[in-house]
Amino acid sequence: MFKKLALLLIGLAAATAAALFLVIFPPIKATHPAIAGGTMPKLVPLRDFYADPNARWRFRLSPDGARIAWLEAKRLKPALWVRALDGEDVEIYHTPDTVRWFTWSSDGRYLLYQADRDGWENDQIVSVDVTRPGSAPRTYDFGKDVRSWIEFVPRDSGSDILVSHNGRDRSKFDLYRLNLDTGETSALDLISERSVNWSFDRDGTLFARLISGQQSQWRYEALMTDGTWRELARGGMEDEFWLLSRPDETGQAIALSNLNRDNRVLMRLNVLTGEEKVMHAPDAVDAGWIITHPVTRKPLMALDYPGEQTRSFFDDSARDMVDLLGDTDDKALHLVSSTDDFTKAIWETEDSREGWRTYLVDRTAGTADLLQTPGIAKEADNLSDLEPVFIPAQDGLTIPAYLTRPKGTVGPAPLVILIHGGPVARSYWGYKDLHLWLANRGYAVLNVNYRGGSGYGRAFKEAAIGEVSRKMHTDIVDARAWAVEEGIADPAKVAALGGSFGGLKTLTALTQSPGLFAAGVSINGVSDISTMIGEVPVYWTGWPDWVRKYLGDPDNEDDLQMMRDRSPLYHADNVQSPVMIIQGSNDVRVVQSQSDRMVEALKAAGKDVSYELIDGAGHTFSNMSWQQKMIMHRKIERFLATHLGGRADGFDYGVLGAYIIP
């Protein structure tokens, strides 16, 4: 009787909460004529994008192929699931962390991941012993406020891995060997330089290193067979050079390089003679992801993104696996895990509407078994494709972008311009939940790869020198004008939405071109570029160098004034449109005061600003819990519906759960 009464009370409480939620968050009908007058597809619930309770992801094979592991929710919390590859019994390991990524130890005993437990990005290394069912995760603690990561997992190394951490000197990351069984470490390289990146062969033996100095000047050295170091290359900020394989006895190696050229290429290099032979050089873009053999490091294939993904094969073993997947010409491919002998592998196919399907491919058996289909795939008919577009800038530069057109609208629709962070980054073709969710609400979505970003060559990056909040801003203005001229966008209903450096560009759009934007959403966005060098972690050496090269030196009085002139914080009076500012309280890259000060300036100027401080969140979406993601996107949805005229969902039990589940 008591059990029935308890269940009744729980049911009544849930019903009451749902009713209150419906009152607090009623659905919003579209008011923009392009949406209200169209035949819109079904409104896909927010939970299907950000809180699918049946999702399974991050499948990984153990190096010997004996086990397979993946992430899946258990009691509404993600957990690690493990089973024998040829069995059905599953062991579930709960973790105190949101696992973003994991890998296997070489002996297949441990699952390893990095945990950011407070959003401050002081990652700790954690292991789970899968030979002891029910065992608790073990954290390897290298000290308070120390950041660590897994540098390399050598093959045939048993329970030893290579790790880096800044326990000795917070500004530098030393190299250590860590025994996962005992937790003991031994130092391999206690660096005196500002920054060092290492390359290892299969057994963890160091064979090359890139040493960085002031102003991002670097030299690259290889360890020769006689035990001496030989300098192979040197360069600066936009120069790239990296060996993918240890030089053989004749000096032959595989390298990625953009030295003396605009774009990065894959090449064969003789480190003794300097002779180069280009293996792969895609048109207009840098060589992208090079898939290599897990043990020999021999290149197997290349995946590039001039628009959609293109692929080039260097080895029949990779081609044979891809052929087993069937027709994948309209999809992107990702090799996520393989056995040491490369006879079995986990492949994902990525569709811009249906998400990632995961396959276990067995090259020997000639099979490709589907492991999971994403839940969002059932909504594909209600979602829109992602198409590459190329936009002419005012100075003649071509700006690549990705466009999602809403289904069912009539005439020019409201437009949301998405602005990536970095700025040395880029957006790629594939499944973009933010695009799909916004387009389903009735908005056209344009994701702009503005100048200064990566992937399009040296000249494209350096076109941004001196152009922060100048031509980098007019790239966004030009993208807006293009969308209007093409009949895609209603010029009166364009919003900017960006995070981090994209948040800076969003705020710049609202302060420099206020008449062109009807609303803006800044997520962890920079508002004052004159102070940000001094606010990042002490081990961030490249970012201050980038700022000084591309923007100016805050230690120089004239440069400091120029940086303030280009900072949105000092131009809050110019804003004419509503602004939503979202900030993680534990963000170490763009600290909370950047948003606090901007909100204060906007309020002092009498502007329409809403401020959402996410307690405990760090800088990136990957550091957010599913609850934080649901609540944040819900608020963005309603903000845009109010100011652009799109539609917004009403009751969503996923959002309700985000508010009430700890």
Side-chain angles (χ1 to χ4, degrees):
M1 180 176 178
F2 289 109
K3 184 177 180 180
K4 288 183 179 179
L5 180 60
L7 289 173
L8 178 62
L9 291 173
I10 291 172
L12 287 172
T16 301
L20 287 172
F21 194 82
L22 189 58
V23 171
I24 297 171
F25 291 118
I28 298 177
K29 292 184 178 180
T31 58
H32 193 280
I35 306 171
T39 305
M40 299 300 295
K42 168 192 168 185
L43 196 147
V44 179
L46 187 60
R47 63 179 179 272
D48 286 352
F49 296 102
Y50 298 107
D52 180 1
N54 301 311
R56 305 164 74 208
W57 67 102
R58 297 277 193 279
F59 286 82
R60 298 290 185 271
L61 286 170
S62 61
D64 60 2
R67 292 185 175 94
I68 188 170
W70 66 94
L71 288 166
E72 184 175 341
K74 180 70 172 178
R75 294 194 295 272
L76 299 178
K77 292 185 177 181
L80 285 162
W81 297 52
V82 183
R83 68 168 172 83
L85 192 62
D86 58 358
E88 296 182 356
D89 294 338
V90 176
E91 293 291 339
I92 301 173
Y93 299 87
H94 289 281
T95 74
D97 312 297
T98 298
V99 180
R100 299 162 290 171
W101 166 92
F102 70 90
T103 190
W104 287 89
S105 61
S106 66
D107 58 7
R109 177 178 177 182
Y110 294 101
L111 291 175
L112 309 169
Y113 66 89
Q114 295 169 193
D116 179 9
R117 290 178 174 160
D118 55 13
W120 296 116
E121 300 189 20
N122 292 318
D123 283 9
Q124 295 176 294
I125 297 169
V126 183
S127 71
V128 176
D129 187 345
V130 301
T131 66
R132 298 171 54 212
S135 62
R138 175 181 181 177
T139 300
Y140 301 91
D141 188 357
F142 302 117
K144 181 177 174 56
D145 298 330
V146 171
R147 185 180 188 185
S148 60
W149 64 72
I150 299 167
E151 190 73 50
F152 187 70
V153 179
R155 302 302 185 185
D156 306 324
S157 65
S159 296
D160 281 1
I161 64 172
L162 304 184
V163 303
S164 295
H165 67 72
N166 59 347
R168 182 180 64 91
D169 181 337
R170 294 297 187 270
S171 67
K172 301 171 183 176
F173 290 88
D174 299 317
L175 180 66
Y176 298 86
R177 183 177 293 271
L178 167 66
N179 184 277
L180 298 168
D181 297 335
T182 65
E184 295 179 354
T185 60
S186 55
L188 299 179
D189 193 359
L190 302 178
I191 68 172
S192 58
E193 305 281 354
R194 192 169 68 150
S195 175
V196 178
N197 292 307
W198 301 273
S199 295
F200 310 94
D201 63 15
R202 61 169 292 165
D203 64 0
T205 302
L206 178 66
F207 72 81
R209 62 191 181 190
L210 186 148
I211 302 172
S212 299
Q214 297 299 320
Q215 287 80 51
S216 291
Q217 296 296 306
W218 55 263
R219 67 183 188 275
Y220 193 92
E221 303 173 339
L223 187 62
M224 308 309 292
T225 54
D226 62 1
T228 62
W229 288 97
R230 181 188 185 97
E231 182 177 304
L232 303 185
R234 61 174 53 232
M237 184 176 299
E238 309 308 344
D239 296 312
E240 300 178 50
F241 182 88
W242 192 259
L243 291 185
L244 297 183
S245 65
R246 173 191 282 277
D248 64 19
E249 62 278 1
T250 68
Q252 292 291 332
I254 304 296
L256 281 167
S257 174
N258 75 344
L259 298 180
N260 303 313
R261 47 176 53 90
D262 188 56
N263 291 103
R264 180 176 62 235
V265 301
L266 180 70
M267 66 170 63
R268 297 185 189 278
L269 172 70
N270 189 305
V271 302
L272 300 178
T273 66
E275 182 183 0
E276 300 176 358
K277 183 178 179 180
V278 174
M279 297 174 60
H280 178 66
D283 293 336
V285 294
D286 293 335
W289 281 280
I290 307 299
I291 294 176
T292 61
H293 190 282
V295 174
T296 67
R297 311 303 294 170
K298 176 183 177 182
L300 303 177
M301 64 183 298
L303 302 174
D304 305 305
Y305 286 85
E308 297 177 349
Q309 187 192 79
T310 61
R311 59 195 73 143
S312 304
F313 293 95
F314 311 121
D315 188 274
D316 287 341
S317 61
R319 189 189 301 272
D320 292 344
M321 281 196 173
V322 171
D323 287 345
L324 290 171
L325 294 170
D327 184 7
T328 57
D329 288 346
D330 61 343
K331 296 175 173 56
L333 294 178
H334 305 278
L335 175 65
V336 295
S337 175
S338 71
T339 55
D340 277 351
D341 60 7
F342 201 64
T343 59
K344 298 182 180 70
I346 302 293
W347 287 83
E348 290 177 340
T349 63
E350 183 182 7
D351 183 275
S352 67
R353 288 186 297 129
E354 298 184 2
W356 291 271
R357 282 181 168 82
T358 307
Y359 296 85
L360 171 62
V361 178
D362 187 326
R363 188 159 51 92
T364 304
T367 57
D369 298 326
L370 181 65
L371 295 178
Q372 69 89 27
T373 298
I376 198 66
K378 69 181 185 298
E379 301 290 357
D381 289 343
N382 300 307
L383 303 175
S384 303
D385 292 315
L386 186 71
E387 62 180 283
V389 296
F390 298 91
I391 299 167
Q394 295 174 25
D395 63 353
L397 190 68
T398 297
I399 305 299
Y402 289 102
L403 172 67
T404 305
R405 303 172 191 261
K407 284 188 173 182
T409 55
V410 289
L415 172 69
V416 178
I417 297 181
L418 298 182
I419 313 176
H420 69 71
V424 186
R426 61 158 291 186
S427 296
Y428 296 88
W429 184 90
Y431 175 82
K432 308 291 184 187
D433 46 35
L434 192 57
H435 278 249
L436 295 173
W437 163 61
L438 290 171
N440 180 254
R441 271 51 181 167
Y443 310 113
V445 184
L446 187 59
N447 196 325
V448 183
N449 280 319
Y450 52 87
R451 74 187 65 211
S454 59
Y456 297 101
R458 182 196 309 272
F460 188 83
K461 281 185 184 177
E462 294 192 328
I465 294 175
E467 300 299 342
V468 174
S469 299
R470 290 179 176 168
K471 288 184 179 179
M472 290 178 83
H473 164 61
T474 58
D475 287 347
I476 304 303
V477 172
D478 292 343
R480 176 196 176 279
W482 174 87
V484 171
E485 290 168 5
E486 292 291 317
I488 296 165
D490 175 356
K493 295 294 181 182
V494 179
L497 190 159
S500 190
F501 198 87
L504 165 66
K505 293 179 67 61
T506 295
L507 296 172
T508 300
L510 297 179
T511 52
Q512 284 199 14
S513 304
L516 300 182
F517 296 91
V521 179
S522 169
I523 305 171
N524 294 332
V526 176
S527 67
D528 186 356
I529 53 183
S530 72
T531 63
M532 59 186 179
I533 283 183
E535 296 167 344
V536 297
V538 65
Y539 51 80
W540 273 41
T541 55
W543 175 239
D545 288 347
W546 186 93
V547 170
R548 290 187 174 95
K549 174 178 178 177
Y550 279 78
L551 186 55
D553 186 350
D555 293 331
N556 177 286
E557 187 174 334
D558 291 338
D559 284 0
L560 178 63
Q561 185 56 51
M562 176 266 296
M563 295 168 86
R564 287 174 175 163
D565 290 342
R566 298 196 209 175
S567 296
L569 177 65
Y570 303 100
H571 305 286
D573 284 345
N574 293 345
V575 172
Q576 298 176 10
S577 305
V579 189
M580 172 176 277
I581 292 180
I582 300 170
Q583 176 70 43
S585 66
N586 293 6
D587 191 343
V588 297
R589 305 188 198 188
V590 180
V591 297
Q592 182 181 331
S593 65
Q594 286 276 348
S595 289
D596 288 348
R597 293 158 64 205
M598 189 69 200
V599 171
E600 291 169 5
L602 288 167
K603 287 182 175 179
K607 306 302 179 180
D608 183 351
V609 57
S610 57
Y611 189 22
E612 304 294 340
L613 184 64
I614 306 177
D615 186 43
H619 186 71
T620 65
F621 284 4
S622 63
N623 285 332
M624 292 185 182
S625 67
W626 69 269
Q627 294 99 320
Q628 290 170 331
K629 291 178 186 177
M630 289 288 287
I631 293 169
M632 180 183 74
H633 286 91
R634 179 68 167 211
K635 291 181 177 180
I636 293 173
E637 176 183 63
R638 303 185 78 79
F639 174 82
L640 293 176
T642 300
H643 301 295
L644 295 189
R647 55 184 186 163
D649 202 359
F651 174 72
D652 184 326
Y653 63 77
V655 180
L656 175 62
Y659 276 97
I660 64 176
I661 296 173

